[in-house]
Each structure stands twice: as C-alpha cells, then as structure tokens.
Amino acid sequence: MTFAYAVFVWLVFFKFRWLRLTPAWGVTTVFIGLHLVLVPLVGMRFISPLTTDVRLVRHTVQIVPRLSQPTTVEEVLVTEGQAVKKGDPLIRMDARIYQYQVDAATAAVAAAKQNAVVLQEDVKVAEESVARAQAELTYKQSQADRYTGLAAQRAAPEAEAQRWQTDVLTSEAEVAEAQAQLKRAQAAYDSQIDGVNTGVLQAEASLKQAQYYLENTQITAPADGSIVNLQVQPGMVAGILRIGAIASFIADDDPYILAMYRQENLKFMEPGQKVVVALNLYPGETFSATVKDIWWASGRGQMMPSGRLPSWIDLPTYPEGRYAVQITLDDPPPHTPIGAEGAALVLTDPANPFTWVGQIALRTYTWKRFLYPMPF
C-alpha cells in the first residue's frame, strides 16, 4: 500500500506533472502518506493483534519416587524420548523390604482380628464372674440374716453371725471388682468404628500403607505421553530427596498455545474468538485456533510480604509487562513438541478490513521462516 502510494505521488508530481509540488501539496501528501501507514497499523493492534512471543505448552509430570526410604533402582523399562501409554511400567525399584513390611502388616491384621475374638470372650468370662460373685453374695447374705436371727434368739453363737456379716462385706467387694472387670472388658471390646474393632482398623491401615509403598516400587505412566530428561540408571539409590525428579513425563493430551500480548492488544479480545497460528516447525503453513482464556494476572502486580515499603523506582520499566492468552488449536498437526514457537493472530472481528493487514503480516512471518534465520 505504501509502495503504491509512493508510485502514485511520483506519477502525479514528477512523471506527468499533473500537479505542482507546492508546500501545501507537500504537507498534504505527507499527511495522507502517514495515515496510509499508521491507520492500518493502529487498527491492526486492536482488531487483529499479532504476536511472535508464542510457545506450545504441554502438561508435564515430574517423576519422583514415592517411597518411605531410599531404595535401589533395579530396572529402567523405558528409554529417552520413548512414547508410552497410561499405566505402562517405567521404573522398577527394589521391592523386597516393602514386601517384608506387607507380610508383617498382614500378620498384624490376623493377630488383631484374633485379639478381637479374645476380647469378646473376655466379656463373657467377666459376665460369668459377676454372676458367680452375685450368687456368692446372695448366699452369704441369707446365711448372715439366718444366723443373726438365731443369735438374737440365743440359738446360735453371736460370733458365727458376725463371721457371716464379714463374709457378706467380702462378697460385696468381690462383686464390685467383678463388675469393674466386666466394664473394662466391655470397654475394650466396644472400642469400634462402624462395627469394626479399632485394633483391627489400625492394623488394616498399616497394611494398606505397606501395600501403597509396595505398589510404588514400580512407577507407571500417569497418562499417554513420552519420557524425557531420563536421569535414572539401574543401581542408583532414589528417594533420598523428593524435591529432585529422576525423569520428566510429557502428556499427549490437551496441548495449548500460550501467546504473550501487550496490554493494549487485549482491548477487544475475548474467549471464543478465532485465531490464526503459524508454527516455526511448519514454514509456510497456518493453523486455525480459538482463544480459550485470557490470563488476567502479571507478576508485576505482586508484592511479597516484608517490612520494607514499596519503592516504585525498583520496579522494572522495560520491557513492557504483557499478559498471557491461552489458545487451543482446532486441529493440531501430528508433531507439536513442547516449547514449539511461532506467531499468533487473533481475529477480534473477522469481517473488519484491518484483519487483512494482520493476515498479510502473519503469512509473511511464516513464509520468512524458510529463510530466517539464515545458517550463516
């Protein structure tokens, strides 16, 4: 457009001399020329914003052994960059010590269940002890009453009546002791949650924990994807520090593009708008996409808690802060690795003529990737 206008000016004022280039016509010509250049560029910034700060993002999982103690790696079942399916085994750790813990916990569960049966029998024994003590008390109370009456009639010695009274007191103490033993046995047996003895539940929880660690001696793929940054080798000890991963897993599902835009470019941008994307992996090609979300957050607005007052001169002023726009490809190409770069053009109003300038710029960018950067 600028070139055509320059040719037009040359023809009018220099070639055919239809008009004389006076100061007034010079100012007018420059004014119109600037508008021909600036108006499409300004319209493009708002109607069809273009950015080359684009990267393809995939969900990644750090592979970290989830074990209770440092464990030797026995076997690495995958290679660097290998594609795997969800559930495929990746790394196998030494499982012997965890199998021993499962065996011990299994025995503890059996012992706890047997102990629950013993507690139930203890309740029955305590109930029989109470019944026996009650019977003894009843018999001795009747004898004490009998001899007390006889002693009052001088038909029996007073000492015999006192002896039976003493036996009654002893039996009452025995009944109280038996009842206390019954309460103790009943309390131990009634220690339950949802009808299951707490000792059994505790033993079963320990067994589940031991089984959890045993299962984690084999690390499996969390989803369909590929393994990169494989740092583990057979014989090394893993699990000393859980902050360090031994491999990285890149998921195949739900890749998206993250495009960084200047703040003024977001004036008319909304989720659901159409996007044209160019990837450097595919020079000369464009792909249709959709704005999924605008991440209205920037680290420039975050201040860490401290006793120091904010000092605005300490904040960076360049480059200008940008916001991320999440974009999803409608039909992703077969090979879209994590971190792939390119350009993205958002069509806030596809029917607006300003989008033509943006599409020309985008296609110029992608065709230029055949040559730029040159290998020299």
Side-chain angles (χ1 to χ4, degrees):
M1 186 183 303
T2 305
F3 177 75
Y5 180 71
V7 171
F8 172 78
V9 171
W10 177 75
L11 292 175
V12 170
F13 292 106
F14 300 100
K15 177 64 176 178
F16 299 108
R17 299 181 182 273
W18 291 332
L19 294 174
R20 187 167 62 89
L21 186 59
T22 64
W25 275 113
V27 172
T28 303
T29 302
V30 172
F31 182 78
I32 296 174
L34 287 175
H35 277 70
L36 286 176
V37 174
L38 294 179
V39 170
L41 292 179
V42 172
M44 172 184 163
R45 288 170 64 85
F46 295 98
I47 304 303
S48 58
L50 173 69
T51 180
T52 57
D53 189 358
V54 168
R55 66 214 63 185
L56 190 136
V57 180
R58 289 187 178 275
H59 299 290
T60 58
V61 179
Q62 303 304 308
I63 303 299
V64 181
R66 188 65 176 174
L67 298 173
S68 60
Q69 54 191 313
T71 308
T72 304
V73 177
E74 283 196 342
E75 190 177 3
V76 179
L77 306 173
V78 291
T79 57
E80 180 77 25
Q82 178 178 339
V84 294
K85 295 293 185 181
K86 182 178 181 178
D88 286 352
L90 306 177
I91 301 166
R92 186 173 292 119
M93 318 287 286
D94 186 359
R96 289 175 296 175
I97 188 172
Y98 301 101
Q99 183 61 59
Y100 301 154
Q101 292 173 357
V102 169
D103 295 342
T106 302
V109 170
K113 290 181 178 179
Q114 184 63 33
N115 185 60
V117 176
V118 172
L119 292 176
Q120 186 177 13
E121 295 301 321
D122 287 345
V123 172
K124 294 180 181 179
V125 171
E127 289 174 345
E128 293 175 356
S129 297
V130 170
R132 184 168 55 252
Q134 288 281 8
E136 288 286 335
L137 175 61
T138 301
Y139 169 72
K140 291 179 179 180
Q141 184 66 55
S142 65
Q143 287 294 94
D145 294 342
R146 178 168 171 262
Y147 276 96
T148 300
L150 292 174
Q153 299 174 4
R154 299 182 182 275
E158 182 69 27
E160 188 69 16
Q162 292 178 355
R163 184 180 70 81
W164 282 107
Q165 290 291 345
T166 302
D167 289 347
V168 167
L169 295 176
T170 303
S171 292
E172 287 177 346
E174 291 175 350
V175 168
E177 182 180 1
Q179 289 175 339
Q181 291 292 341
L182 175 59
K183 289 181 180 179
R184 181 178 178 181
Q186 190 68 50
Y189 177 71
D190 289 342
S191 179
Q192 300 177 354
I193 298 177
D194 295 333
V196 182
N197 182 264
T198 53
V200 175
L201 290 175
Q202 186 175 9
E204 290 178 342
S206 298
L207 174 59
K208 291 178 181 178
Q209 185 182 53
Q211 290 173 334
Y212 169 80
Y213 286 126
L214 178 61
E215 292 171 358
N216 276 271
T217 56
Q218 178 170 284
I219 301 176
T220 58
D224 294 352
S226 59
I227 292 292
V228 297
N229 193 28
L230 188 64
Q231 303 179 30
V232 63
Q233 293 294 326
M236 71 175 286
V237 176
I240 299 176
L241 293 176
R242 293 191 179 87
I243 59 174
I246 58 179
S248 298
F249 176 84
I250 302 176
D252 288 341
D253 295 336
D254 302 325
Y256 61 91
I257 288 175
L258 210 58
M260 305 300 294
Y261 280 94
R262 292 185 174 86
Q263 298 174 33
E264 62 271 13
N265 297 146
L266 305 177
K267 182 176 179 61
F268 301 110
M269 196 179 299
E270 296 177 356
Q273 292 174 341
K274 293 300 181 181
V275 185
V276 183
V277 174
L279 296 175
N280 296 348
L281 282 169
Y282 302 93
E285 297 185 44
T286 58
F287 305 92
S288 62
T290 305
V291 174
K292 183 177 182 180
D293 196 11
I294 301 173
W295 294 5
W296 295 106
S298 172
R300 290 173 177 249
Q302 182 182 19
M303 293 187 179
M304 302 304 294
S306 74
R308 182 181 176 187
L309 296 178
S311 178
W312 298 110
I313 61 174
D314 293 337
L315 295 178
T317 57
Y318 183 85
E320 178 187 350
R322 301 186 180 190
Y323 286 99
V325 177
Q326 184 178 356
I327 298 170
T328 56
L329 290 167
D330 297 338
D331 187 15
H335 182 57
T336 50
I338 185 172
E341 299 179 347
L345 175 74
V346 178
L347 306 178
T348 62
D349 183 5
N352 195 299
F354 285 127
T355 61
W356 304 344
V357 180
Q359 298 209 41
I360 292 173
L362 179 72
R363 282 160 174 76
T364 301
Y365 170 89
T366 185
W367 281 102
K368 188 175 64 175
R369 301 310 297 186
F370 279 113
L371 301 176
Y372 177 82
M374 298 297 289
F376 51 83

